[in-house]
Amino acid sequence: MEQHRETLQRIVSNLANKNGEIHNFIDMLNHTIKNIQVNSSNAISELDEEFDGLYSILDEMKGSMANTIQQEEARKIQALQDQLSQCSNALESSEELLELAAQSLDIKDPVEFFKAARQIKDRVTMASAFRISLKPTVSDSMTHLMVDFALERRILQAVNFLPVPKAPEIDLAACLVADNCVTVSWRMPEDDSRIDHFVLEYRKTNFDGLPRVKDEQRWELIDYIKATEYTLSGLKFDTKYMNLRVQACNKAVAGEYSDPVTLETKAFVFSLDSTSSHLNLKVEDTYVEWDPTGGKGQEKVKGKENKSSGQNPLLKSNRRSGAPSPKRTSVNTRSSARGSRDRFTGESYTVLGDTAVESGQHYWEVRAQKDCKSYSVGVTYRNLGKFDQLGKTNSSWCIHINNWLQTTISAKHNNKAKTLDIPVPDRIGVYCDFDGGHLAFYNANSKELLYIFRTKFTQPLLPGFMIWCGGLTVSTGLQVPSAVKMLQKSENGLSGSTSSLNNIA
């Protein structure tokens, strides 16, 4: 009966998943239909604009060329009219001389005749009729202003839609996700010398499989990629997956997108639990800051405790005996403590992460303010008492940095401390291998190992932080760096300075 129930549950689960995929596909089809309608309308608008532009150019050219013809017409007519005027003047002068010559033929006196004939001869010699050209200065031909658009017509008749690059193909086997970087590699289905560049789009998602249409983040775009590979670096992996797609572009137009791929970008993401932190801590998401005015209800108690010494309360508590802490608040009673925010009190200036580590390998980093006097970074079981400090119980492990009077760094567990003769890094990386029983601290910049605890974790672990006079910034959504993975392999057999405090008597 139970076996059949489990089988039926698997069938129901598979059917529900398939229904979800079909719903997503239907949404995608409807979204694609809308996009086709919009893109078609845009294409027609762009076509109208192109042809209107072409018409405008042709109209402009026609007007310019017609104006040229009209100017040539006016020039030629003016030249011929000038010739007509000259000829009219010459003809008038010539007719006047003819009339004068006819009158001279009637003169009887030889002397007067000779005188008149001589005058007519001189005037004829200077007459404009004998100096003007009887050839038109211009012709009536206008063939030099004729046009032939036969070639242009053939070019226009050959106009077609632009050649669109084919969709690239993402090489999933060559894609790499490591060190909070995503390397995407692709190829073209065939050589295309006209491709100018590529466009890569990506977006984060918590869904495996095909990209979803609804309730998703917008696509981020990387443009003008010249190669067929690109690395997205400095990412925060705060979702489980990432969708990626690529399109090729020539000088004129972009092609279709490649089939999208989904890559897993799993990393440990948590925030600081402000509802259960110490009242003297101001907590915002992944930042915690010491606030001396926060615990107003505890001011009198703290005044008595710190009035005479003026010392680092975290240091002072380290000098006390190893007597057990006062009454602890277990995870079972935290629900009532959360509302009043008294999960930690006294000198346990602690805030925990809101997500537990229950298996696998995880990594996060912490950066302290430069003027931070004292802080601890580590992990703890949920049963850390409200007065307990990290590293002072057998269920918490940490690195403690003290900048009060002098700078020291030490590893703490079970109320035992080991001073480390190393410089304090700007950023501390925390590596937790729950199944392997390793808790290691690194210089986050150089990836140099600071200390490693080796134990067997028997309960879920919460990231823990203690702070006094200063602030801490936590970086989550980080993958385990490759350098840390390599160091962990080589450090598995080390002892001495990296041996576990669990093994120190």
Side-chain angles (χ1 to χ4, degrees), residues 111-282:
V111 176
E112 291 294 331
F113 178 79
F114 179 76
K115 182 180 178 180
R118 188 175 182 85
Q119 289 178 351
I120 292 172
K121 180 181 178 183
D122 291 340
R123 289 180 66 180
V124 169
T125 301
M126 298 298 295
S128 58
F130 292 95
R131 289 185 289 109
I132 64 173
S133 172
L134 298 180
K135 180 180 178 182
T137 56
V138 295
S139 71
D140 60 356
S141 175
M142 298 291 283
T143 55
H144 62 292
L145 295 177
M146 301 297 290
V147 295
D148 181 7
F149 288 148
L151 176 60
E152 288 77 5
R153 190 177 293 109
R154 286 196 294 271
I155 292 175
L156 287 174
Q157 289 172 342
V159 168
N160 206 334
F161 295 107
L162 291 171
V164 179
K166 292 189 176 181
E169 298 173 352
I170 296 180
D171 185 0
L172 194 57
C175 295
L176 178 65
V177 178
D179 297 331
N180 284 85
C181 298
V182 175
T183 298
V184 189
S185 181
W186 61 88
R187 56 177 174 265
M188 294 300 296
E190 58 185 43
D191 291 336
D192 188 346
S193 59
R194 292 171 295 190
I195 290 178
D196 179 68
H197 65 275
F198 297 93
V199 176
L200 170 65
E201 291 189 359
Y202 68 96
R203 69 179 180 187
K204 298 177 180 180
T205 180
N206 282 312
F207 299 99
D208 194 4
L210 292 174
R212 294 174 177 253
V213 177
K214 295 182 178 179
D215 303 324
E216 284 288 4
Q217 300 184 31
R218 65 182 181 87
W219 290 95
E220 301 289 340
L221 183 144
I222 306 294
D223 205 350
Y224 298 105
I225 302 172
K226 295 294 184 179
T228 56
E229 182 178 283
Y230 191 84
T231 298
L232 299 165
S233 58
L235 300 171
K236 180 178 180 180
F237 289 165
D238 49 5
T239 59
K240 295 180 180 179
Y241 304 97
M242 181 177 289
N243 301 140
L244 302 108
R245 62 186 186 183
V246 183
Q247 65 178 167
C249 306
N250 56 30
K251 291 288 186 180
V253 69
E256 292 192 15
Y257 287 102
S258 65
D259 289 335
V261 298
T262 300
L263 301 180
E264 186 176 20
T265 55
K266 192 183 337 183
F268 185 49
V269 180
F270 66 90
S271 298
L272 301 179
D273 187 1
S274 60
T275 62
S276 63
S277 64
H278 194 286
L279 284 173
N280 281 103
L281 299 183
K282 180 181 178 181

Side-chain angles (χ1 to χ4, degrees), residues 40 103 276 291:
S40 296
Q103 292 175 356
S276 63
D291 181 10

Side-chain angles (χ1 to χ4, degrees), residues 439-451:
L439 178 67
F441 299 88
Y442 288 86
N443 181 324
N445 296 320
S446 65
K447 299 301 183 287
E448 176 186 1
L449 178 65
L450 305 178
Y451 198 85

Side-chain angles (χ1 to χ4, degrees), residues 288-426:
V288 55
E289 184 178 27
W290 163 262
D291 181 10
T293 65
K296 294 182 179 179
Q298 305 173 27
E299 289 300 318
K300 293 183 179 180
V301 177
K302 290 174 189 170
K304 292 179 181 179
E305 291 177 347
N306 299 331
K307 183 175 181 181
S308 61
S309 66
Q311 295 178 343
N312 179 349
L314 302 187
L315 274 179
K316 188 173 71 172
S317 64
N318 289 341
R319 294 171 183 167
R320 295 172 180 166
S321 66
S325 300
K327 180 182 177 182
R328 296 183 180 181
T329 304
S330 69
V331 66
N332 295 328
T333 60
R334 271 181 59 186
S335 58
S336 60
R338 279 179 177 270
S340 58
R341 198 184 172 190
D342 60 354
R343 172 68 173 87
F344 295 102
T345 189
E347 294 175 358
S348 179
Y349 303 117
T350 303
V351 61
L352 302 178
D354 62 0
T355 305
V357 175
E358 300 184 18
S359 63
Q361 301 174 355
H362 306 283
Y363 179 84
W364 59 95
E365 294 180 356
V366 181
R367 180 191 292 273
Q369 291 179 346
K370 291 184 179 180
D371 59 350
C372 191
K373 298 300 183 185
S374 180
Y375 60 96
S376 299
V377 178
V379 297
T380 178
Y381 292 157
R382 297 182 188 272
N383 62 359
L384 188 67
K386 65 189 301 182
F387 294 98
D388 289 339
Q389 296 183 0
L390 288 176
K392 292 185 67 65
T393 69
N394 63 0
S395 60
S396 62
W397 301 257
C398 74
I399 285 283
H400 175 72
I401 290 84
N402 171 47
N403 288 319
W404 182 258
L405 301 179
Q406 62 181 0
T407 300
T408 60
I409 180 171
S410 57
K412 292 184 175 183
H413 171 65
N414 200 21
N415 206 24
K416 298 183 180 68
K418 184 176 183 64
T419 301
L420 307 178
D421 187 17
I422 54 176
V424 177
D426 294 335

